[in-house]
Amino acid sequence: MRSTFCLKALSVAIATFSVASAASAAGLDRSGQDITAFLQDGTYAETVYTYIDADVTGRDNAYIGTDDKAYNKGNKIGDIAEDYDFFRYGVKTDINDTFSVGILYDEPFGAAADYVGDNNFVAQGDLDNAINIISNGNATGLVDASNKIDRLSAGAQLQAEAAAKFAQQAQNATTPQQAAQLAAQAKAAQDQALELKGQAESLGAAVASAQVEKSTTGEGTNVEVRTENVTAILGAKLGTNKEFQIYGGPVAQQVQADVALRGVAYGLANGYTAHISSDQDFGWLAGVSYSKPEIALKAALTYRSEIEHNTNIGEQYPIVAALDGNPNQAGTIEITTPKSVNFDFQTGINPTTLATAKVRWVPWGDFAIVPPLYNEVSKRATGDDKGLALVSYDDDQWQVELGLAKRLTPALAVSGNIGWDSGAGNPVTSLGPIEGYYSAGLGAKYNVTDNWAISAGGKYLWFGDAEGQIPTKKVVSNFEDNDGYIVGVKLSYQAAQ
């Protein structure tokens, strides 16, 4: 029965799927953390190259006002998604009929976005327009802002003097009722003084941020995040027919990132720049699989732990200079890459056809990047003791992919798949404004020899529409009708033992 289902041919055919199927649009997910190389029979090795070209265009927000959810169609935003590629490697062998070992390399998480052109994510250098936008329309330009700041400051001073006068009179009051009335007047005047002072400081901060807009003319928002994983796996087969396998091992992960926020879309954070130094830390992987060779069935459930990084960060935040602070600071940051669960399944339908399913879950709702200086300034700006994260997501990611593989000749197999990715919420960060996708892909594999094979595949993606928001939850852009494609090629070696 085993030979009837041509398990080896079908299993290698299914490997075609992983050439171009593992590229997600939720959070920072990229590779899908595929481990199917370890689940192959005998000795197996693969080298996979994947290239991704996404077209992500939209419009900025032309609305000026205090309603953070309001949106008016603004200027066109050209393609912000930089093309990127990555490699994946895997090697696995059986020590004996019970134990197997393997090593996998991939680049699981990342981002690459770059804004250019005439929109709110690129510094245009128009000081008056920047003041108008950043102040939410409370000042039309530099002269107007300066006049209002002077009036507000003068009003705050007068109210502060009145508060002091009422407080003094309250101390000299002849009756408790008179003292209480004067104390209430003193408090009201003091509150008014603080409110006027806050309005003056807010306008002053808007002017300072607008001046950054002028000094950085032509610079655009961009972000790049890179991670690398090396996973060592030891598996042990159990059961009467060795149909069960438990496996696990350590994971070494390296992460680094660069972020530059430019343009009036980011308000007071205009001009912010951060460099997160490369850091390596460790996590772990564990899983269980089941196989039934008679029908070419394999199923595997894999858990990867979160990995906590503590690394150095350099931040430049121009607005801090206007707040009498140091705008260039070095510190440390904690970034915890998320845990994940993958389910891989395949079964033979007939002697030449294999059905497959993949399900992946990543809790992006628990993920955040919180640079210390950025967070400290946000506490002052929002009045919230927790402050804001630079990057965070509202929802967890679910990804589902279904496919078929068909052996046409002893040397040639083809495959096809359809997929769905839930995304990580909408609105979502302006540094990656996509809400999941639908996909369809095709692939082919050719056995060059009994052991060596080459595979190629491609996938087309229809991205979900999304509104981009900044950490304050203000909507700053809208992205619709976007798509992308993925192509990949794999060289693989397999030898039965």
Side-chain angles (χ1 to χ4, degrees), residues 210-358:
Q211 289 170 336
V212 173
E213 168 82 359
K214 188 171 181 63
S215 66
T216 58
T217 300
E219 296 182 17
T221 296
N222 64 79
V223 58
E224 182 171 7
V225 179
R226 284 275 186 178
T227 62
E228 297 177 277
N229 269 17
V230 176
T231 304
I233 307 178
L234 172 65
K237 295 182 176 66
L238 308 172
T240 305
N241 299 311
K242 304 295 185 180
E243 65 270 28
F244 291 98
Q245 181 178 213
I246 56 172
Y247 53 89
V251 180
Q253 184 179 89
Q254 188 166 342
V255 61
Q256 65 179 31
D258 289 279
V259 177
L261 307 182
R262 299 292 185 270
V264 295
Y266 292 101
L268 300 182
N270 187 8
Y272 176 82
T273 303
H275 171 68
I276 299 174
S277 300
S278 178
D279 177 74
Q280 180 175 291
D281 222 301
F282 299 89
W284 54 274
L285 167 152
V288 59
S289 66
Y290 172 79
S291 65
K292 190 172 183 179
E294 299 94 308
I295 57 173
L297 186 150
K298 289 185 179 181
L301 186 67
T302 307
Y303 173 87
R304 286 181 179 267
S305 73
E306 61 184 24
I307 300 179
E308 183 178 305
H309 297 267
N310 288 280
T311 185
N312 296 325
I313 181 173
E315 297 178 84
Q316 299 176 5
Y317 206 153
I319 192 65
V320 175
L323 302 175
D324 299 322
N326 179 9
N328 301 308
Q329 295 189 22
T332 59
I333 184 173
E334 179 182 303
I335 298 176
T336 302
T337 55
K339 59 190 174 185
S340 65
V341 176
N342 282 21
F343 175 69
D344 296 278
F345 176 84
Q346 70 172 57
T347 187
I349 297 177
N350 60 47
T352 60
T353 306
L354 198 68
T356 65
K358 290 176 176 286

Side-chain angles (χ1 to χ4, degrees), residues 4 29 83 161 214 230 269 429 433 437 442-443 446 456 474 480:
T4 302
D29 216 9
D83 303 344
E161 292 172 357
K214 188 171 181 63
V230 176
T429 172
Y437 63 73
L442 294 172
Y446 183 75
K474 180 178 181 179
E480 297 179 340

Side-chain angles (χ1 to χ4, degrees), residues 33-39 44-46 87-92 101-107 228-233 247 250-252 285 302 304:
Q33 297 181 296
D34 184 86
I35 70 148
T36 53
F38 179 74
L39 302 177
Y44 179 82
E46 67 177 24
F87 283 91
R88 187 173 77 244
Y89 307 101
V91 60
K92 171 263 177 184
V101 294
I103 296 179
L104 308 176
Y105 168 88
D106 73 332
E107 300 178 27
E228 297 177 277
N229 269 17
V230 176
T231 304
I233 307 178
Y247 53 89
V251 180
L285 167 152
T302 307
R304 286 181 179 267

Side-chain angles (χ1 to χ4, degrees), residues 425-446:
N426 185 30
V428 71
T429 172
S430 59
L431 301 178
I434 293 172
E435 188 190 15
Y437 63 73
Y438 290 94
S439 69
L442 294 172
K445 173 201 148 287
Y446 183 75

